[in-house]
């Protein structure tokens, strides 16, 4: 869990508080905290009260976006910080096209994961 700078905050269009995610996923907020602790979700401290928040793009209705958990693992294995992960996921790539997080939500996760694995080389 990281505190983010203005540059990264500006890249992410919308954020969700942990209780909101718990409601969407129909689980207890303690389970959401566990997902963050286990690395299945990425949360950062932001705002005046420095509350934990997760990019809204990581949640698809009542589930975590398909492929996100594995992608976070790949990027962390490549020693990316949470800030670097957010920057990579939310920065537009004309060759993709769009952002990696958009591609994930559009079921193009294989290509996104391939590109993430190539970053380590």
């Amino acid at each position: 869990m990281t505190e983010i700078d203005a540059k990264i905050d500006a890249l992410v269009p919308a954020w969700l508080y942990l209780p909101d995610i718990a409601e969407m996923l129909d689980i207890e907020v303690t389970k959401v905290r566990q997902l963050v602790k286990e690395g299945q979700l990425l949360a950062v401290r932001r705002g005046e009260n420095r509350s934990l928040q997760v990019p809204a793009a990581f949640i698809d209705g009542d589930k975590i976006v398909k492929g996100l958990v594995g992608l976070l693992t790949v990027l962390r294995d490549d020693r990316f910080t949470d800030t670097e992960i957010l920057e990579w996921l939310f920065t537009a790539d004309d060759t993709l096209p769009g952002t990696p997080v958009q591609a994930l939500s559009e079921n193009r996760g294989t290509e996104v994961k391939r590109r993430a694995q190539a970053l380590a080389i």
Side-chain angles (χ1 to χ4, degrees):
M1 292 168 270
T2 311
E3 193 162 344
I4 59 168
D5 61 30
K7 175 187 171 192
I8 302 300
D9 199 28
L11 282 176
V12 181
W15 297 88
L16 294 169
Y17 294 97
L18 300 191
D20 296 331
I21 294 169
E23 188 174 314
M24 294 169 79
L25 302 180
D26 195 26
I27 59 176
E28 297 292 324
V29 72
T30 53
K31 177 63 177 164
V32 177
R33 288 185 184 281
Q34 187 68 29
L35 292 172
V36 171
K37 184 178 177 184
E38 292 171 353
Q40 295 182 47
L41 276 178
L42 191 156
V44 295
R45 295 203 176 273
R46 60 184 297 276
E48 281 186 29
N49 60 359
R50 295 184 7 90
S51 62
L52 279 176
Q53 296 178 42
V54 172
F58 290 177
I59 307 298
D60 181 16
D62 62 352
K63 62 188 180 310
I64 296 172
V65 169
K66 181 181 174 185
L68 177 68
V69 175
L71 182 62
L72 291 176
T73 300
V74 168
L75 293 169
R76 286 183 174 128
D77 286 351
D78 289 345
R79 300 198 190 315
F80 272 57
T81 65
D82 287 353
T83 302
E84 291 168 334
I85 290 171
L86 288 171
E87 183 174 8
W88 187 77
L89 283 171
F90 286 92
T91 298
D93 180 343
D94 293 337
T95 65
L96 201 47
T99 65
V101 77
Q102 284 173 314
L104 272 182
S105 67
E106 295 168 358
N107 207 21
R108 295 185 285 141
T110 303
E111 177 61 16
V112 174
K113 192 170 182 182
R114 185 192 66 73
R115 288 171 186 237
Q117 289 168 332
L119 294 172
I121 299 171

